[in-house]
Amino acid sequence: MRVPDDTPGAGTRSEPGLTDYARQVRAGYRALLRRRLGVLGLLAGLIAGSVVLDFCLGPSGLSPAALVQTLLHPHDVPAGQGVIVWQIRLPYALMAVCVGAALGLAGAEMQTVLANPLASPFTLGVSAAAAFGASLAIILQWRLPGVPDAWVVSADAFIFAIGSVLLLDMVSRRRGAGTGTVVLFGIALVFAFHALVSLLQFVANEDALQDLVFWTMGSLTRATWPKLGLLAAACALVTPLSLRAAWKLTVLRMGEERAASLGVDVPRVRRGALLRVSILSALAVSFVGTIGFVGLVAPHISRRLLGEDHRFYLPGSMLVGALVMSLSSVAARNIMPGVVIPTGIVTALVGIPFFLAIVLRRRGLS
Amino acid sequence: MTEGLRAEHVSVRYGSRTVLDDLSVGPFPRGQVSALLGPNGSGKSTLLRAIAGLGADGGHATVMLNGDDLSRMPPARRTQRCLYLPQALPAMVHLQVLESLLAAQHALTTLPPARDEDDAVDAALRMLDVFGIANLAMQYMDELSGGQRQLVGLAQALGRNPDALLLDEPLSALDLHHQFAVMDILRRETARRNIVTVMVLHDLNIAIRMTDYDVILRDGRIIAAGAPTDVITPATLRTTYDITARVETCSRGLPHIMVDGLG
């Protein structure tokens, strides 16, 4: 019969020191969990601070007091001020957080299921596919039937973005396709879509070209309440599903074969994760353009801060992504007075030194 | 009810190549350590994976463990009864050794368990202690040596309390001291838990001295099966490995394999 392990002294050699040591390890593990919850809390606090900053600072020159006044009593202030707060500042600041969280989670899950530290919506073609969709809308006026004008570019971008992830998923489902195959396929997608976008740029007129170039730079100024609501709802829906898979994803990090031998249905976990990734990254990228960098960096930062227990790593990556995006959004509007630099540019410029510092500080990030 | 682990009609194909064709093997006895022996490419690992139900597509086998038909169980349930440990070492991830054991323990759960994990931590620590690596509990996997990670992998597997343990070259990354230490631990735990342990081994001297039931394979066929001294003989060694060898008795009366040459 099976002998349970937990009978005290069942082992043959329990050294006398072990009970003390066990207490020590138990306390150590508890402290570790507490520390991680603390880090998550700290990140959330920083995000809140950054959102307030994002909301208060900007080219319109409104004082924080006036902004708060507008927020609390929207009908007692001049109409122009109300528009700035309700239609620009607030959706802009919140969209930064949602986009960052969506890309952070998408990147984190992608890096785990594809077992590759370079995986992200940006590096595996989701952003490039979205850009192609957007360019079809902007340059060729190609539109899906029944899509309202304000949504045409986003809808086209979304279709192609989600299509690219489904393609990645199809490749990953093929018998004998290792994670390396999937990553190479994603890189091929990047190049293919870049070439197609260039082709469209080549035939585009000057106005359309300018629109497209601006789109591909990635900007939060396209944020609207309906888009924000949709993305927030997607995040709220997907996050619990990701957390449900947290243990399985953690085991998957120790190797695909090992995970399978421990009872994890690896193809199924991978499919579920890619489905979640496709929804989040396609929505985020189609609403704000090419801001893919966050999806690559946030998981690495989260891993350094919180380790790879996915119960903490996944939310951590979301929060780091949201924080990086929010801070970039602050910077984008305040580096040059009166000018809003496209957020995609700022994210990359601010994020890359930060990223390199983390990567070079330690070997073996994979 | 048949005791032990028995596999019947094991057939595995990789593409058009048939690796195992209607092989039947066992029963591997309970409470004792068994070994699969044979040269590279003889189908040892393939057989072990097929018994675990992880074989390549098109693989087919009926596997009976203590009278239960494992091949009819859903995969997750099956791994709870019969656990396979791959030859590849646990990856160098940024997880503490303790966390990696907890994750292996929770691999089949969906929801995060309650925050109070003291019992799980204690059980994991005891398992590490069995393999003499309790001191590594708070170290990160990406800071360990290959041998240490192999020990962690073994602790992860045994920590799941399976009824049968299938180990693919569990000694490959270990130094001489740890090879013998791990064999000792596995023999002791196998007997104490009265489970079936089957391992792929390359070292015939370890097999003949420290296992109880051996199967020797060549080209996907069983050459011999039974007690080590009956299975590892000059005749079978010549048939399977193309070597001329003797099984001598050393000064302490233990069997020892001497290889004289090829062919």
Side-chain angles (χ1 to χ4, degrees), chain A residues 5-150:
Chain A
D5 268 306
D6 356 66
T7 44
T12 41
R13 82 290 63 202
S14 355
E15 303 138 32
L18 188 66
T19 45
D20 269 352
Y21 180 64
R23 257 194 295 281
Q24 205 182 322
V25 169
R26 220 195 266 180
Y29 185 65
R30 255 199 239 124
L32 188 73
L33 296 187
R34 262 202 311 278
R35 194 181 72 82
R36 286 176 180 167
L37 285 175
V39 170
L40 290 180
L42 183 68
L43 285 171
L46 288 174
I47 290 168
S50 171
V51 167
V52 170
L53 209 61
D54 200 10
F55 180 68
C56 290
L57 296 176
S60 72
L62 290 172
S63 69
L67 293 167
V68 172
Q69 172 75 14
T70 319
L71 212 53
L72 297 178
H73 309 288
H75 302 296
D76 306 345
V77 293
Q81 196 171 324
V83 168
I84 288 177
V85 169
W86 283 99
Q87 300 305 322
I88 300 177
R89 288 289 178 84
L90 207 52
Y92 189 114
L94 296 178
M95 193 65 162
V97 172
C98 275
V99 166
L103 291 176
L105 181 58
E109 291 212 56
M110 252 179 153
Q111 290 186 5
T112 294
V113 296
L114 298 179
N116 194 304
L118 290 177
S120 80
F122 187 57
T123 43
L124 295 190
V126 183
S127 298
F132 177 63
S135 61
L136 280 180
I138 294 168
I139 293 169
L140 300 183
Q141 270 81 45
W142 183 81
R143 59 192 299 173
L144 296 163
V147 176
D149 280 349

Side-chain angles (χ1 to χ4, degrees), chain A residues 1-7 10, chain B residues 161 192-193:
Chain A
M1 281 299 103
R2 190 188 295 195
V3 180
D5 268 306
D6 356 66
T7 44
Chain B
N161 289 322
R192 187 171 76 78
R193 295 155 179 257

Side-chain angles (χ1 to χ4, degrees), chain A residues 282-361:
Chain A
L283 275 179
V285 172
S286 63
F287 288 162
V288 299
T290 311
I291 309 185
F293 186 72
V294 175
L296 176 66
V297 184
H300 287 282
I301 298 175
S302 173
R303 207 170 288 144
R304 280 299 135 220
L305 289 176
L306 295 156
E308 301 208 51
D309 181 339
H310 280 52
R311 292 178 299 165
F312 300 98
Y313 162 69
L314 293 177
S317 185
M318 280 183 93
L319 293 178
V320 168
L323 181 61
V324 170
M325 273 307 289
S326 187
L327 289 175
S328 302
S329 154
V330 173
R333 293 191 300 166
N334 294 285
I335 290 179
M336 282 194 260
V339 181
V340 181
I341 304 170
T343 324
I345 299 176
V346 180
T347 334
L349 286 182
V350 173
I352 285 175
F354 194 31
F355 178 56
L356 285 181
I358 288 175
V359 171
L360 297 178
R361 203 161 59 89

